[in-house]
């Protein structure tokens, strides 16, 4: 039997999933992030601990491995792959001070023009004393892959998008040369491409086959998309977590910086989407999870609530309405809490529908099916309300674990 290993380095911990040739899960293991002195040593420890936790009989038949990291978590390494400084995490905004300089170089509204982009972080790191020792700039997934295959300077076009890599022409753009980056930018491969065999030391230590392949990885959110089961144009995944995130597979690339819309390449298709500030965090302001569950049962999902809210925690929205001054709208509030919840769920469903309409208006394929992930996915009343608004089938994701998506990537799905 051949097995495939996906490893997810997410925001709350690291996980590994082994699947068989039929994409059935054989084992899942996890490693929570603890208080640590050094990020890189904790990543390394997590990777090796996860490998060690996989039962030996599975390890002996792992054919390929793929790793996803958090998008725009980056680090500098020396010629031997040793980090020369602390990595910058996905949400680190120190790059804001170099944005003016990047605006002069990058095309208007480019995805690199954000304080947390990989390129802003790299430009910020260029001022550090440690930069003199650096030879390679890598993303978290690239470096973890290196620990397994031993090759430095390799990335994938999902991680490299926010570094400025041109995913349409499959090359770094000319404008990037104007930054005169004196170290090696990663060579960029399609996610899932075989980079090489696992290093002999790793193969011996963990009893992996010597010809076990390590593949180019991806980012956590794309791995979670892959896990959902969506694969044809018009299929989408809505994440109903603290915020509302939409992703729609399309044959056309859709970009609109005003709304924060951009597309990742997914083979011959494009994964386009946007993120709204509405979502479960607003529900949590008013209700406990138990109340959400109980009150939802009192709601008649076949009837539309007349309450027209725009549920936000604070002023400002980007997608599907671009208005930094948009105020939260949560009135009138009925005395009956189930009625109030109905209004909130209905309003978030309307915003979701409006989001998919905007993506289609900008050129994405017509929506035909929506998978759902996140805490709100387990609410059948909400699913029914959303289906009535979206007018397409709304189903649960096959799986919501990024590690499962990375395992599929390793399998070549
Ligand atoms: P994140 O990882 O973005 O913080 P999760 O995917 O864990 O979020 O989802 C948490 C959200 O799910 C919370 O904001 C909560 O309001 C929402 N949630 C939890 N249970 C329910 C429910 N039964 N119905 C609707 N929303 C729910």
């Amino acid at each position: 039997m051949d097995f495939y290993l996906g490893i997810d380095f997410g925001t709350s911990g690291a996980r590994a999933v082994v699947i068989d040739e039929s994409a059935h899960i054989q084992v899942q293991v996890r490693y929570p992030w603890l208080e640590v002195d050094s990020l890189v040593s904790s990543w390394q420890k997590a990777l090796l601990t996860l490998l060690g936790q996989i039962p030996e009989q599975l390890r002996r038949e792992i054919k390929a491995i793929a790793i996803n990291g958090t998008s725009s978590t980056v680090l500098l390494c020396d010629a031997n792959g040793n980090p020369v400084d602390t990595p910058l995490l996905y949400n680190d905004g120190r790059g804001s001070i170099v944005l003016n300089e990047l605006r002069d170089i990058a095309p208007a509204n480019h995805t690199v023009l954000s304080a947390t982009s990989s390129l802003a972080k790299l430009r910020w790191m260029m001022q550090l004393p440690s930069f003199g020792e650096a030879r390679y700039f890598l993303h978290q997934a690239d470096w973890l892959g290196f620990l397994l295959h031993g090759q430095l300077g390799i990335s994938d076009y999902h991680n490299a998008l926010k570094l400025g890599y041109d995913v349409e022409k499959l090359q770094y753009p000319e404008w990037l040369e104007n930054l005169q980056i004196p170290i090696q930018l990663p060579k960029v491969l399609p996610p899932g491409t075989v980079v090489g065999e696992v290093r002999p030391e790793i193969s011996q230590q963990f009893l992996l086959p010597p010809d076990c392949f390590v593949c180019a990885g991806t980012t956590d959110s794309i791995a979670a998309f892959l896990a959902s089961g969506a694969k044809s144009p018009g299929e989408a995944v809505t994440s109903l977590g603290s915020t509302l995130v939409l992703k729609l597979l399309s044959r056309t690339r859709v970009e609109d910086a005003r709304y924060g819309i951009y597309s990742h390449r997914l083979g011959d298709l494009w994964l386009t989407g946007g993120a709204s500030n509405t979502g479960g965090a607003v529900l949590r302001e008013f209700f406990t999870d138990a109340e959400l569950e109980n009150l939802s049962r009192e709601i008649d999902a076949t009837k539309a609530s007349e309450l027209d809210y725009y549920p936000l925690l604070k002023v400002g929205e980007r997608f599907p309405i671009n208005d930094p001054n948009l105020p939260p709208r949560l009135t009138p509030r009925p005395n009956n809490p189930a009625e109030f919840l109905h209004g909130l769920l209905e309003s978030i469903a309307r915003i979701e529908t409006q989001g998919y309409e905007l993506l289609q208006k900008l050129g994405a394929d017509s929506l035909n099916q929506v998978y759902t992930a996140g805490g709100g996915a387990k609410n059948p009343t909400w699913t029914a309300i959303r289906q009535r608004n979206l007018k397409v089938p709304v189903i649960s994701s096959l799986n919501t674990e990024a590690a499962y998506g990375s395992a599929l990537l390793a399998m070549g799905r």
Side-chain angles (χ1 to χ4, degrees):
M1 190 74 154
D2 288 339
F3 297 118
Y4 300 89
L5 168 60
I7 302 177
D8 160 46
F9 274 68
T11 50
S12 59
R15 288 162 198 255
V17 167
V18 176
I19 59 171
D20 62 21
E21 292 155 0
S22 312
H24 292 130
I25 295 176
Q26 296 295 314
V27 72
Q28 304 194 54
V29 290
R30 59 169 317 192
Y31 182 96
W33 296 133
L34 311 164
E35 286 297 317
V36 283
D37 310 332
S38 153
L39 270 182
V40 283
S41 59
S42 78
W43 293 353
Q44 183 157 14
K45 183 154 178 238
L47 181 67
L48 302 181
T49 307
L50 288 173
L51 283 174
Q53 283 175 342
I54 296 167
E56 188 188 315
Q57 78 273 18
L58 295 181
R59 267 189 268 143
R60 284 186 182 277
E61 294 179 72
I62 292 176
K63 191 102 186 122
I65 305 173
I67 305 179
N68 68 266
T70 44
S71 176
S72 292
T73 294
V74 295
L75 71 163
L76 294 170
C77 302
D78 66 15
N80 299 317
N82 298 313
V84 302
D85 215 321
T86 311
L88 290 193
L89 291 179
Y90 56 96
N91 56 356
D92 194 309
R94 275 177 276 187
S96 61
I97 57 166
V98 304
L99 280 183
N100 277 340
E101 183 194 345
L102 292 187
R103 271 191 204 101
D104 291 341
I105 292 170
N109 298 323
H110 197 283
T111 42
V112 299
L113 295 173
S114 134
T116 55
S117 77
S118 302
L119 188 63
K121 289 183 178 122
L122 168 58
R123 182 63 196 88
W124 182 83
M125 286 167 156
M126 280 164 68
Q127 314 162 57
L128 296 174
S130 57
F131 192 75
E133 296 161 58
R135 291 292 167 274
Y136 293 95
F137 174 78
L138 294 176
H139 303 90
Q140 181 185 35
D142 311 339
W143 187 73
L144 291 163
F146 153 74
L147 294 182
L148 298 185
H149 55 59
Q151 298 185 42
L152 271 166
I154 298 188
S155 189
D156 62 85
Y157 59 56
H158 293 157
N159 273 296
L161 183 79
K162 290 181 183 165
L163 182 55
Y165 186 77
D166 185 334
V167 290
E168 198 142 357
K169 295 193 180 135
L170 298 178
Q171 61 190 36
Y172 283 104
E174 266 173 39
W175 57 259
L176 207 54
E177 283 168 23
N178 295 336
L179 262 184
Q180 303 193 330
I181 300 162
I183 59 165
Q184 183 87 29
L185 289 183
K187 179 180 161 197
V188 180
L189 300 176
T193 312
V194 169
V195 176
E197 288 173 351
V198 76
R199 284 166 45 216
E201 306 90 282
I202 295 285
S203 151
Q204 282 150 20
Q205 186 180 350
F206 295 102
L207 306 171
L208 294 165
D211 60 351
C212 169
F213 289 131
V214 184
C215 306
T218 182
T219 64
D220 53 347
S221 61
I222 297 199
F225 180 88
L226 297 174
S228 71
K231 44 176 144 349
S232 310
E235 292 186 338
V237 176
T238 297
S239 293
L240 292 171
S242 304
T243 59
L244 171 75
V245 182
L246 312 189
K247 291 200 169 76
L248 172 58
L249 260 185
S250 173
R251 282 164 298 184
T252 34
R253 183 178 187 177
V254 178
E255 310 267 315
D256 195 319
R258 286 173 302 165
Y259 300 104
I261 297 172
Y262 61 90
S263 297
H264 270 286
R265 186 172 181 147
L266 218 62
D268 298 335
L269 299 176
W270 295 94
L271 184 56
T272 183
S276 164
N277 293 337
T278 192
V282 186
L283 301 178
R284 213 164 244 175
E285 282 278 289
F286 300 104
F287 304 103
T288 63
D289 283 2
E291 285 170 335
L292 286 174
E293 212 176 310
N294 294 331
L295 292 170
S296 293
R297 287 202 206 103
E298 296 177 25
I299 295 171
D300 179 358
T302 61
K303 296 211 172 66
S305 167
E306 298 302 316
L307 296 163
D308 181 22
Y309 299 145
Y310 206 104
L312 293 172
L313 285 183
K314 54 185 194 315
V315 166
E317 174 67 311
R318 182 91 180 267
F319 171 88
I321 296 172
N322 170 28
D323 180 359
N325 301 315
L326 188 78
R329 191 169 68 238
L330 292 158
T331 53
R333 181 170 171 176
N335 289 330
N336 180 336
E339 245 176 79
F340 180 47
L341 177 62
H342 191 177
L344 291 168
L345 299 180
E346 188 86 38
S347 300
I348 298 174
R350 285 191 203 111
I351 297 167
E352 179 188 15
T353 305
Q354 207 183 332
Y356 284 121
E357 280 168 359
L358 176 62
L359 295 174
Q360 291 166 86
K361 200 173 117 211
L362 293 170
D365 272 296
S366 299
L367 184 72
N368 56 40
Q369 175 146 287
V370 178
Y371 293 82
T372 317
K378 57 174 182 263
N379 184 330
T381 310
W382 204 1
T383 304
I385 293 173
R386 293 168 53 227
Q387 183 153 307
R388 173 165 49 69
N389 278 275
L390 289 162
K391 300 188 176 65
V392 296
V394 177
I395 53 180
S396 276
S397 293
L398 187 66
N399 192 301
T400 55
E401 295 283 349
Y404 181 76
S406 282
L408 292 177
L409 195 64
M411 188 163 71
R413 282 248 178 122

